[in-house]
């Protein structure tokens, strides 16, 4: 990219968390957004206004309550989705440059990508009364979600560019599969199963209920999953729970799903790369041959989007 102050930024808006990687830094925040109907005198939260509606994003939205549903196709392109995107851009001080986004393989199409670009271009966005103009005309690139993992992997392993590479993206709701053959995305071989981290979270909640006969929320179960500790703290009290057993049960399902995808692929993969939030947790349980966990598995898609933006900008200049 030209040294003119422009930035390249990769944004992976997931159901659980949004991951962002730019020239300056990498970070993430909960993909939580809630509507703010009135400003309170003592609130220090600065809402994001999209087309006249005020929204709160990230941890502030979780604290505020009334978090909107983000696990639907209609969320993409909506005003709340624009608010999440704006929050990501604003925290990285993005003003102009290249924005790379990903869509799940089942949603990816040029038509849908065009609709997203139009909604970004036409949105009226303000933060704290200041209008934000990101000048997104022509510099928004949209690629299949798993492609970010592939580009992140081949950046670090250039010898794999001409191989058949299977990509497994462990998301919050789904396990998404894609195949790249000699550096080409094979669109006809994509698939998705409802085997994301939410399955492990539900297993932990169920295990807790069987032991203690009352419910915990998904946030407590998710924290236990992330930290891998055999306990859950609820209202200041620690409750022993066999978290490792829950992770192992989930990992065996994931391992079997990966095995099926590899066996059914028309081009036998030389290597398979697993990334996403749960990838590190299930590393020791994945028994499928020649499967490895991506470097920086949680951020791999966002890093790959950024790298793709850098590389295509160089080739276009």
């Amino acid at each position: 990219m030209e040294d003119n102050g422009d930035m390249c930024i990769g944004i992976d808006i997931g159901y659980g968390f949004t991951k962002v990687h730019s020239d300056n830094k990498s970070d993430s925040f909960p993909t939580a957004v809630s509507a703010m109907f009135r400003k309170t005198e003592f609130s220090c939260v600065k809402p994001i206004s999209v087309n006249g509606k005020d929204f709160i994003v990230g941890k502030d939205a979780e604290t505020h309550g009334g978090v909107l549903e983000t696990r639907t196709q209609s969320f993409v392109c909506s005003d709340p989705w624009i608010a999440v995107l704006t929050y990501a851009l604003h925290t990285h001080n993005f003003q102009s440059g290249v924005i790379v986004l990903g869509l799940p393989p089942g949603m990816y199409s040029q038509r849908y990508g065009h609709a997203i670009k139009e909604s970004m271009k036409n949105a009226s966005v303000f933060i704290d009364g200041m209008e934000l103009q990101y000048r997104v005309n022509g510099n928004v690139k949209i690629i299949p979600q798993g492609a970010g993992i592939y580009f992140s992997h081949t950046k670090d392993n250039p010898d794999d560019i001409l191989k058949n590479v299977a990509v497994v993206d462990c998301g919050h709701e789904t396990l998404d599969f894609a195949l790249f053959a000699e550096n080409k995305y094979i669109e006809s071989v994509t698939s998705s199963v409802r085997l994301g981290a939410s399955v492990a979270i539900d297993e932990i909640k169920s295990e807790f209920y069987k032991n203690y006969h009352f419910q915990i929320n998904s946030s407590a179960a998710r924290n236990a999953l992330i930290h891998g500790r055999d306990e859950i703290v609820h209202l200041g009290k620690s409750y022993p729970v066999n978290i490792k057993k829950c992770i192992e049960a989930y990992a065996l399902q994931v391992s079997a799903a990966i095995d099926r995808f590899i066996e059914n692929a028309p081009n036998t993969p030389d290597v398979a790369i697993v990334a996403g939030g749960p990838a590190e947790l299930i590393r020791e349980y994945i028994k499928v041959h020649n499967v490895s966990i991506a470097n920086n598995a949680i951020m791999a898609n966002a890093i790959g989007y950024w790298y793709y933006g850098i590389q295509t900008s160089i080739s276009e200049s």
Side-chain angles (χ1 to χ4, degrees), residues 32-44:
V33 56
S34 56
M36 189 175 190
F37 296 107
R38 64 180 186 277
K39 297 185 176 77
T40 59
E41 184 178 350
F42 299 106
S43 174
C44 60

Side-chain angles (χ1 to χ4, degrees), residues 6-7 47 114 138 165 212 249 309:
D6 280 357
M7 178 188 291
H114 178 73
V165 179
Y212 301 106

Side-chain angles (χ1 to χ4, degrees), residues 275-297:
E280 285 292 346
L281 296 171
I282 63 178
R283 176 192 293 270
E284 63 184 284
Y285 304 106
I286 297 294
K287 306 301 182 185
V288 185
H289 176 66
N290 216 15
V291 171
S292 59
I293 305 298
N295 294 334
N296 202 342

Side-chain angles (χ1 to χ4, degrees), residues 45-64:
V45 175
K46 295 179 180 178
I48 297 171
S49 175
V50 181
N51 298 324
K53 306 180 192 76
D54 287 344
F55 299 98
I56 306 171
V57 175
K59 290 182 179 178
D60 287 335
E62 292 183 330
T63 302
H64 179 79

Side-chain angles (χ1 to χ4, degrees), residues 31 40 47 55 68 75 101 141 150 176 225 229 245 252 266:
T31 307
T40 59
F55 299 98
L68 302 173
F75 175 65
L101 305 170
K141 301 177 187 295
Y150 172 78
D176 297 319
L225 176 67
R229 300 193 193 106
K245 184 181 83 170
L252 290 174

Side-chain angles (χ1 to χ4, degrees), residues 208-229:
F208 187 93
Y209 184 79
K210 281 191 293 185
N211 291 337
Y212 301 106
H213 310 296
F214 68 91
Q215 299 278 6
I216 56 168
N217 61 30
S218 294
S219 179
R222 183 178 66 198
N223 287 336
L225 176 67
I226 291 170
H227 297 296
R229 300 193 193 106

Side-chain angles (χ1 to χ4, degrees), residues 137-207:
N137 295 350
N139 57 0
V140 178
K141 301 177 187 295
I142 298 173
I143 62 178
Q145 220 158 46
I149 297 168
Y150 172 78
F151 290 123
S152 178
H153 173 75
T154 53
K155 173 177 72 72
D156 298 330
N157 301 272
D159 290 346
D160 286 351
I161 287 176
L162 295 180
K163 294 180 180 179
N164 295 332
V165 179
V167 169
V168 185
D169 187 359
C170 297
H172 183 75
E173 291 291 321
T174 60
L175 202 63
D176 297 319
F177 299 94
L179 181 67
F180 292 79
E182 297 183 356
N183 208 31
K184 294 183 177 64
Y185 174 64
I186 311 301
E187 192 166 353
S188 61
V189 189
T190 60
S191 66
S192 181
V193 293
R194 295 192 70 81
L195 202 54
S198 61
V199 172
I201 290 170
D202 288 343
E203 181 67 25
I204 291 170
K205 290 169 67 177
S206 175
E207 184 72 11

